[in-house]
Amino acid sequence: DKGTGILKEEVPAPPEGFSQRLATILVAGAGFLADSYDLFVINIVLIMMKQNESYGPLTPDVQIQCSFMAIIGAAVGQLLFGFLADQYGRRRMFLLTAILTILGNILQATAQPYERLGIYQQMMLFRFIMGMGVGGEYPTASIITSENSTNWTLSLIHISEPTRPLYISYAVFCLKKMR
């Protein structure tokens, strides 16, 4: 759009048919599951790192800081990439958040202690990078999923007691648009 600095992005047509919608739900659910794993696996990692004496002492303060850096990164990523997605396009920013998440995880997995930057300080930095990717994925993935979903007819999902959890799961994971 001229004058606003906002790039227009073509929105693909919503998925056709039940199987494509179901695939969208499963992919979105798998993404959220992977993000949760990324955020919470540090507790197990720190227990294993604590047993290695060459890394130095792992104080409770350092343990909290290592765990918390991903949450701080996620908050920063949500704000930053939510804004950037509106400016430069959701798909571009979604790709960038995926790259940050992967890069942060690779850096964490390959971190080695150095004299200037200890292993725990590296973990804090790399978890912040990974957290920015995870946090940035929340606004971009939810909007992309929402744009690619359509309303289901009540003939596909009857809002009865046995199927209510399926309907609620669909609403939570896909953030379905109400038209």
Side-chain angles (χ1 to χ4, degrees):
D1 194 23
K2 290 186 178 183
T4 62
I6 298 174
L7 298 175
K8 294 276 184 179
E9 183 177 25
E10 286 188 34
V11 177
E16 302 288 331
F18 180 77
S19 62
Q20 288 180 328
R21 290 185 194 131
L22 183 61
T24 301
I25 294 169
L26 293 176
V27 168
F32 286 121
L33 180 67
D35 291 344
S36 296
Y37 176 80
D38 286 341
L39 291 175
F40 299 115
V41 74
I42 191 64
N43 298 322
I44 298 167
V45 171
L46 289 174
I47 290 171
M48 293 188 303
M49 289 177 73
K50 191 175 189 177
Q51 295 174 358
N52 190 339
E53 295 173 5
S54 67
Y55 293 149
L58 178 61
T59 64
D61 289 340
V62 171
Q63 191 169 358
I64 289 170
Q65 291 168 357
C66 281
S67 297
F68 200 57
M69 288 308 288
I71 304 300
I72 293 172
V76 170
Q78 285 177 1
L79 296 172
L80 178 67
F81 287 106
F83 173 75
L84 291 176
D86 290 337
Q87 298 296 316
Y88 300 107
R90 293 175 188 94
R91 293 192 182 275
R92 289 183 188 124
M93 291 302 110
F94 182 71
L95 180 61
L96 184 57
T97 61
I99 290 169
L100 279 176
T101 303
I102 292 167
L103 179 67
N105 283 323
I106 290 171
L107 289 171
Q108 287 178 76
T110 59
Q112 297 294 317
Y114 296 105
E115 289 181 28
R116 288 192 218 169
L117 194 60
I119 189 82
Y120 299 122
Q121 289 77 20
Q122 289 179 53
M123 291 299 286
M124 288 178 213
L125 174 64
F126 301 153
R127 286 193 57 74
F128 180 81
I129 293 169
M130 186 263 317
M132 282 186 58
V134 168
E137 186 180 313
Y138 293 149
T140 56
S142 62
I143 291 171
I144 288 171
T145 304
S146 176
E147 288 173 347
N148 287 303
S149 64
T150 60
N151 290 330
W152 281 1
T153 61
L154 289 178
S155 64
L156 290 176
I157 296 181
H158 300 284
I159 312 296
S160 62
E161 191 62 38
T163 59
R164 191 172 296 142
L166 176 65
Y167 186 75
I168 291 170
S169 297
Y170 178 76
V172 169
F173 282 115
C174 294
L175 300 171
K176 181 174 78 167
K177 276 194 231 180
M178 300 305 275
R179 294 184 193 193

